């Protein structure tokens, strides 16, 4: 009888626990769904807007998602009577301790923020992080950034390594200059070689007229006069034009009767005697 009385007396307490547990689960499920929904919504809105750089989207999405989730977890704990003010104070102290222990990680976050503010790299640009790697920017994240090399290999770099090293951006400017050295044999008509190459540049539709292309003698080797072919092209046409000029220039010189130079060694008298 006493057991039954104690059970009946504890029913309100059990009902309160069950109700709080149910509400906590609902808050957790709804909050988690809401964080994912708002994160995806921000990504979609940013992708549709021409005024927002897609580079900032992944980090903005992560900040929104985890900000909502932190508030959801605090709300869940509040349902069980936990003092949220104490939790915030504990989280602040723990954050300070974790921050001191994870200085390199915080440096990555700070570097990522600087990359997003100053934007030396953007999604879709081909860049070189000197001493670390070359590739097309896929994403600038909160801790690390993702790149894809020209051979299709994907690699990731911590933001601190990107911000702390020289960055060469090959895609930022609309135009790029190329210099292609070609060899002309000593004794061949140098002026004719320059004329043939100049005509090639003037006729090619991908070579920009301004700045004007230029062909000039740049160096003298043992058996070769080095003629430099200099041309400007749009960044989108740069590599196709370079490969095309490398192929066609030699053919034009051969068609003009100019032979490809080969190393020549003169025999000394003692070599002849031997």
């Amino acid at each position: 009888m006493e057991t039954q009385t104690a059970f009946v007396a504890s029913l309100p307490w059990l009902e309160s626990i069950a109700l709080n547990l149910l509400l906590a689960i609902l808050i957790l499920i709804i909050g988690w769904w809401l964080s994912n929904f708002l994160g995806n919504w921000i990504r979609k809105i940013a992708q549709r807007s021409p005024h927002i750089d897609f580079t900032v989207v992944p980090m903005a999405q992560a900040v929104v998602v985890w900000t909502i989730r932190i508030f959801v977890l605090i709300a869940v704990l509040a349902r069980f009577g936990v003092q949220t003010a104490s939790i915030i104070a504990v989280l602040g102290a723990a954050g300070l301790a974790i921050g001191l222990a994870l200085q390199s990680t915080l440096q990555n976050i700070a570097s990522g923020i600087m990359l997003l503010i100053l934007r030396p790299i953007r999604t879709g640009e081909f860049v070189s992080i000197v001493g670390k790697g070359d590739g097309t920017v896929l994403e600038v994240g909160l801790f690390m950034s993702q790149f894809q090399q020209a051979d299709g290999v994907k690699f990731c770099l911590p933001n601190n390594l990107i911000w702390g090293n020289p960055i060469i951006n090959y895609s930022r400017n609309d135009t790029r200059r190329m210099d292609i050295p070609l060899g002309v044999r000593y004794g061949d008509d140098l002026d004719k070689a320059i004329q043939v190459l100049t005509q090639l540049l003037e006729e090619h539709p991908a070579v920009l007229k301004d700045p004007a292309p230029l062909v000039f003698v740049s160096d003298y080797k043992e058996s070769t006069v080095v003629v430099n072919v200099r041309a400007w092209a749009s960044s989108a046409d740069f590599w196709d034009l370079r490969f095309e000029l490398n192929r066609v220039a030699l053919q034009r010189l051969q068609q003009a009767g100019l032979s490809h130079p080969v190393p020549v060694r003169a025999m000394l008298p003692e070599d002849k005697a031997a």
Side-chain angles (χ1 to χ4, degrees), residues 81-135:
V82 179
Q83 295 296 325
T84 56
S86 301
I87 294 176
I88 295 174
V90 170
L91 289 177
L96 179 61
I98 294 173
L100 294 175
L102 301 177
Q103 293 185 21
S104 60
T105 302
L106 295 179
Q107 288 176 359
N108 288 327
I109 297 176
S111 299
I113 294 173
M114 295 303 296
L115 290 173
L116 293 177
I117 293 176
L118 300 180
R119 297 194 295 180
I121 61 175
R122 296 175 183 172
T123 301
E125 292 181 334
F126 187 84
V127 301
S128 173
I129 312 301
V130 177
K132 303 302 177 183
D134 307 337

Side-chain angles (χ1 to χ4, degrees), residues 4-58:
Q4 184 177 1
T5 304
F7 176 75
V8 172
S10 64
L11 280 179
W13 179 79
L14 293 176
E15 291 177 356
S16 176
I17 291 294
L19 180 61
N20 286 332
L21 181 60
L22 179 61
L23 290 176
I25 293 175
L26 288 176
I27 292 173
L28 189 63
I29 293 175
I30 295 174
W32 228 255
W33 174 85
L34 182 63
S35 66
N36 291 328
F37 174 79
L38 290 179
N40 293 330
W41 178 75
I42 288 177
R43 175 180 285 272
K44 292 178 181 179
I45 293 297
Q47 289 175 343
R48 295 174 183 173
S49 175
H51 305 292
I52 299 178
D53 187 354
F54 187 72
T55 308
V56 306
V57 175

Side-chain angles (χ1 to χ4, degrees), residues 5 56 64 77 83 87 91 111 129 168 179 202 210 237 241:
T5 304
V56 306
V64 171
L77 293 176
Q83 295 296 325
I87 294 176
L91 289 177
S111 299
I129 312 301
I168 301 175
D179 289 273
E202 292 175 348
D210 185 23
D237 296 334
L241 177 59

